[in-house]
Amino acid sequence: MKILVCITNVPDTTAKISFTDNNTKLNKAGVQYIIGPYDDYALARAVELKEQQGGSITVLNVGEAESDPQIRKALAIGADDAVRVNAEPTDSYFTATQIAAIAKEGGYDLILMGRESIDFNSGVVHGLVGEMLGIPSFSPVMKLDIEGSTAKFAREIEGGKEFLEAPLPLVLGCQEPIAEWKIPNMRGIMTARTKPLKVVEPVAVGDMATLDQYTLPAPKGACKMIPADQAETLISLLKTEAKVL
Amino acid sequence: MVLIFVELDNGSIKKTSLEAVAYGAAVAKASGTTATALAIGTADATELAKAGAYGATKVLHANAAELANENAMAYASVLAAAVKNENAEVVILPKSGLCDAMGARTAAKLGASIVSGVTELPDVSNGFKVTRSIYTGKAFATVDVKGSVKILGIKKNAIEAVEGTGSATVEAFTPALNNGDFVAKVTGQEKASGELSLTEADIIVSGGRGMKGPDNWQPLLDLASALGAATGCSKPVSDLDWRPHHEHIGQTGIKVAPNLYIACGISGAIQHLAGVNSSKVIVAINKDPEAPFFKAADYGIVGDVFDILPRLTKAVKDAK
Ligand SMILES: Cc1cc2nc3c(=O)[nH]c(=O)nc-3n(C[C@H](O)[C@H](O)[C@H](O)COP(=O)(O)OP(=O)(O)OC[C@H]3O[C@@H](n4cnc5c(N)ncnc54)[C@H](O)[C@@H]3O)c2cc1C
């Protein structure tokens, strides 16, 4: 089975976000980058499927050279080779077009990625890629087994989950608890250095949405503390002051 | 022309979809055009005509038997057909798993631009600029949306939906369906019935590890029921199976944007806050005065949840 796992290179969840260049660029100083947390789930499940059934895992990132450490980490966790499309991902459509172009060449049985990236949180790349390739796409997938050429999986729906079966090839947006995140071991880290990382140039895409500027939310006012022995007053404050009841 | 997808829940238009209609109608007005809604699935005409009170002048209703299951791929094909049929330039979708998936596939079918997480009405004075939430609520980006068809996924509370007196005509819409959209077989479903959905709820009462165990949830459920609220939880709570996974809120769970979020015995770790920071008003109840949640909250009570919750429930009931 050939699996393509798409990973994003994103600021750590706890990163403080600020901007430079007249609020048109993320201030990267002091920001730690990680593999998107949802992509980590996709990668972990791919590694388990490969262990069970054999096959190969290619990781794919649309990003500039600063993604390489995260790509190496994915190789250390168990991917066999990697492709980086050398471009800053500007919007979902651009990213999806690049992924679809690579996927078309590779003939993958399964294309896994996180349900969304934690930088732009769009949650639409899997659907775009699925449609661009003319194959089904589902998200958010929280359980996945492959039997022959059929995927049996569960996806979260409002208030519960839905169980589905669909023929491969498929695109799936993943989330917990599809697998436990994997941490690279020493051997993985050593072998990752020798695994192939191919850098390719992007295919052309027309401008779909261009950035004007970034803004930060207005600073939060102080929290109004209500003494525990007067807890009941909260309800009237929510009614008369905050007007949310 | 602006086309708005309205999501149905048991034959009724969801509240977030009425917001989407109001949003779409406002965009249509600013651009000197009209707003049409599209509903897929079973619903009666009087219910669908409700979209008129929020500014739509027409509702297209696709109700083929094959569309009874929420199938994002088939729904995307119907939406794309409606966009072509109506010559829509702007498409509005509310925020939900179904809408994200169908919006994406529709965008790829039409070569349309798609922007999700939109928090405000667009500025159409010079181009088509929208502001969207990024970095899980920690910042916003204003983008200039190009493309002859623009698809916007809007967040809850992007607009206040006020019911007006307008009316809409309801027309059957019967595009040809593609077999390829039906290759997946639904083999089962586990769904809590009658539960208020987290993404729709105006009030959420949520519990963390401070609730101490799965058997202690009653005081929280009582407050939620008195307030007509949905219930949520932090990640460890769902990891420990104290509460079902679909209640898990945060960075790796559901992102919510209610008018009121009440956090009970939740520390306020940044990953949890990432899922709730779009709430209008946040209340934190925690026995630790240093709990980080108090920095993100509007109202705070330092105290034991098992003492505070029953008293709040009583206060809500007394106030009715
Ligand atoms: C990559 C990543 C992603 C994550 N994603 C999420 C996510 O999506 N959602 C999420 O929630 N977490 C997430 N987490 C976990 C997060 O970091 C915290 O561990 C988690 O939110 C803590 O949950 P908690 O506040 O319920 O528990 P705790 O941190 O154990 O806090 C319990 C709180 O309850 C208070 N308390 C105890 N007893 C009482 C009482 N009787 N009355 C009142 N207060 C009491 C305590 O003072 C404490 O503040 C993620 C972590 C990582 C690393």
Side-chain angles (χ1 to χ4, degrees), chain A residues 63-211:
Chain A
E64 295 178 321
E66 62 191 14
S67 296
D68 288 351
Q70 273 56 256
I71 297 175
R72 288 283 171 213
K73 185 179 173 198
L75 290 167
I77 287 171
D80 299 283
D81 58 1
V83 180
R84 177 164 65 76
V85 178
N86 190 27
E88 171 153 71
T90 46
D91 85 318
S92 314
Y93 205 96
F94 176 87
T95 307
T97 307
Q98 306 309 327
I99 294 172
I102 300 290
K104 238 176 229 155
E105 280 172 31
Y108 298 94
D109 302 299
L110 203 51
I111 300 170
L112 303 181
M113 60 184 83
R115 60 177 283 180
E116 68 184 53
S117 69
I118 63 162
D119 50 4
F120 292 152
N121 311 101
S122 294
V124 296
V125 170
H126 34 76
L128 286 163
V129 170
E131 184 67 39
M132 286 170 181
L133 295 173
I135 61 177
S137 57
F138 298 90
S139 179
V141 174
M142 53 199 301
K143 185 177 185 313
L144 169 65
D145 290 299
I146 305 293
E147 288 175 20
S149 59
T150 304
K152 299 191 170 178
F153 56 101
R155 135 186 120 85
E156 190 157 279
I157 55 171
E158 259 172 38
K161 43 188 148 172
E162 184 175 74
F163 301 91
L164 296 123
E165 281 181 26
L168 300 179
L170 283 180
V171 182
L172 304 177
C174 304
Q175 70 166 34
E176 64 164 19
I178 196 166
E180 285 282 333
W181 285 8
K182 306 219 169 346
I183 298 162
N185 57 27
M186 207 52 209
R187 215 185 112 238
I189 294 167
M190 298 307 286
T191 52
R193 290 190 195 152
T194 60
K195 290 180 178 172
L197 192 176
K198 192 163 90 182
V199 178
V200 300
E201 291 307 311
V203 295
V205 186
D207 269 348
M208 288 298 207
T210 52
L211 178 88

Side-chain angles (χ1 to χ4, degrees), chain A residues 10-19 23 25-28 31 33 37-38 41 90-93 96 115-140 142 151-153 155-167 169-171 175-178 181 206-218 220-245, chain B residues 7 14 69-73 76-77 95-98 100-101 103-117 129 131-147 180-181 183-192 195 197-200 202-203 223 227 235 238-239 245-246 248 250-255 259-260 262 270-271 274 279-283 285 289 293-303 307-308 311-313 315-316 319-320:
Chain A
V10 290
D12 176 26
T13 330
T14 57
K16 197 167 158 36
I17 299 298
S18 64
F19 302 102
N23 287 326
K25 288 214 166 66
L26 178 70
N27 179 5
K28 294 183 179 174
V31 172
Y33 276 77
Y38 298 106
Y41 286 110
T90 46
D91 85 318
S92 314
Y93 205 96
R115 60 177 283 180
E116 68 184 53
S117 69
I118 63 162
D119 50 4
F120 292 152
N121 311 101
S122 294
V124 296
V125 170
H126 34 76
L128 286 163
V129 170
E131 184 67 39
M132 286 170 181
L133 295 173
I135 61 177
S137 57
F138 298 90
S139 179
M142 53 199 301
K152 299 191 170 178
F153 56 101
R155 135 186 120 85
E156 190 157 279
I157 55 171
E158 259 172 38
K161 43 188 148 172
E162 184 175 74
F163 301 91
L164 296 123
E165 281 181 26
L170 283 180
V171 182
Q175 70 166 34
E176 64 164 19
I178 196 166
W181 285 8
D207 269 348
M208 288 298 207
T210 52
L211 178 88
D212 224 36
Q213 65 163 348
Y214 294 117
T215 44
L216 291 170
K220 190 101 197 167
C223 179
K224 190 169 204 166
M225 298 307 291
I226 296 159
D229 59 1
Q230 295 162 33
E232 290 80 0
T233 55
L234 171 72
I235 302 304
S236 50
L237 285 172
L238 292 174
K239 249 197 189 117
T240 53
E241 190 179 78
K243 299 193 166 56
V244 287
L245 287 185
Chain B
E7 207 175 341
K14 285 190 176 187
N69 273 337
E70 278 184 4
N71 172 338
M73 286 189 286
S77 295
K95 173 77 196 169
S96 76
L98 171 69
D100 290 351
R105 293 199 68 112
T106 307
K109 278 179 203 293
L110 301 171
S113 46
I114 177 162
V115 180
S116 35
K129 289 178 187 165
T131 297
R132 54 168 311 201
S133 167
I134 55 169
Y135 296 110
T136 328
K138 285 194 274 186
F140 300 96
T142 303
V143 293
D144 203 347
V145 193
K146 322 269 176 166
D181 291 335
V183 292
K185 199 166 73 191
V186 177
T187 56
Q189 225 183 48
E190 277 170 18
K191 200 170 169 174
E195 215 175 69
S197 107
L198 277 173
T199 48
E200 288 279 299
D202 284 331
I203 307 176
L223 177 62
L227 289 168
K235 176 171 157 68
S238 71
D239 285 351
H245 191 273
H246 66 257
H248 162 200
Q251 174 81 64
T252 49
I254 297 174
K255 284 151 203 79
N259 291 333
L260 174 60
I262 305 181
I270 198 154
Q271 296 90 354
S279 309
K280 265 194 195 151
V281 172
I282 295 177
V283 173
I285 307 167
F293 228 128
F294 291 123
K295 290 209 179 67
D298 301 281
Y299 296 93
I301 302 176
V302 177
D307 162 45
I308 308 287
R311 287 168 49 204
L312 293 181
T313 305
V316 173
K320 271 183 184 160

